Amino acid sequence: MLEKDIERILVDHKKIVEVSKKLGNQITNDYHDKKPLIIGLLNGCLPFLAELMKHIDLYCEYEVMSVKSYHGGTKSVGNVKIVKDLDVSVEGRHVIIAEDIVDTGRTINVVKDLLTYRGAASVEVATLLDKPEGRIEAFVPKYIGVTIPKVFVVGFGLDYDDYYRNLPYVGVLKESVYKNDIS
Ligand code: PRP
């Protein structure tokens, strides 16, 4: 049913597992003497967070917080809101933020600054997708799964109007689906 709205698959499921494994191995090596706290940014992070965690062989915990920037449409409206905060302290912790995508860079800058302000010992970012051509604020994630061009993608956590998150791959949404969207 959902497939008819997809123009083309950009990152298939096999590739997602492969890059998650690569990032998980890197994190395992880089944090071999630490117990990092992985923080997923809801809602988009869930499929990637679940896949990534399988490949991290460390004593680590994960927590989530909910941060919104897009409010339903295909474009970021520019303000970032914390909808659900963390239940734990990050003071003195080595934090890795797990994201589905870094686009304008606004969300990740806000969250990184906040966690640093709260006393995290270090804050790095692991993102499934990086869209550098979308940047409005400079940001370079340490762990990048796949770098993508400036196209509107959905699937594996990424949504349009909260749909398509359950697709097992990342695909380009047909323009006809959102062409009447004025947001
Ligand atoms: C999306 C995505 C990132 C953010 C990236 O979240 O999950 O958190 O936008 O965009 P940016 O780099 O332009 O800030 P969104 O706010 O749409 O919420 P969601 O995770 O619930 O989809």
Side-chain angles (χ1 to χ4, degrees):
M1 185 179 287
L2 298 179
E3 221 173 277
K4 68 174 179 3
D5 298 338
I6 304 301
E7 190 183 291
R8 67 179 196 278
I9 295 177
L10 204 60
V11 190
D12 65 21
H13 191 259
K14 190 164 168 265
K15 177 81 176 169
I16 291 172
V17 173
E18 193 183 300
V19 298
S20 301
K21 193 172 179 183
K22 190 190 84 183
L23 296 183
N25 288 340
Q26 281 175 13
I27 289 169
T28 301
N29 286 333
D30 292 353
Y31 290 80
H32 64 92
D33 55 350
K34 298 183 179 71
K35 292 179 177 174
L37 173 62
I38 320 288
I39 297 180
L41 302 188
L42 295 173
N43 292 342
C45 71
L46 286 181
F48 174 57
L49 177 66
E51 188 57 49
L52 179 69
M53 292 299 295
K54 293 183 210 167
H55 307 289
I56 299 176
D57 184 18
L58 294 170
Y59 292 98
C60 62
E61 306 144 72
Y62 68 81
E63 294 286 339
V64 289
M65 64 191 290
S66 181
V67 184
K68 298 282 176 201
S69 67
Y70 275 26
H71 307 292
T74 58
K75 293 196 177 70
S76 166
V77 293
N79 61 349
V80 177
K81 194 173 156 197
I82 293 170
V83 180
K84 180 195 174 296
D85 207 342
L86 288 169
D87 293 327
V88 297
S89 167
V90 295
E91 205 176 336
R93 300 300 307 270
H94 292 282
V95 171
I96 302 167
I97 302 171
E99 261 288 33
D100 50 346
I101 187 166
V102 176
D103 186 356
T104 66
R106 285 176 175 139
T107 304
I108 206 64
N109 271 316
V110 167
V111 176
K112 187 172 179 180
D113 288 353
L114 178 69
L115 301 182
T116 303
Y117 171 79
R118 287 179 179 176
S122 66
V123 183
E124 298 293 354
V125 173
T127 186
L128 173 62
L129 306 175
D130 186 25
K131 197 195 279 184
E133 289 170 28
R135 283 300 189 286
I136 290 173
E137 294 182 12
F139 191 86
V140 181
K142 180 160 186 186
Y143 303 101
I144 297 170
V146 182
T147 300
I148 64 164
K150 202 174 177 180
V151 285
F152 188 70
V153 286
V154 294
F156 215 75
L158 292 119
D159 74 305
Y160 170 64
D161 258 357
D162 282 318
Y163 293 129
Y164 307 102
R165 295 190 198 275
N166 48 323
L167 283 171
Y169 54 79
V170 174
V172 179
L173 191 64
K174 280 184 184 164
E175 213 180 303
S176 56
V177 177
Y178 61 85
K179 73 176 175 208
N180 295 324
D181 182 356
I182 50 159
S183 64

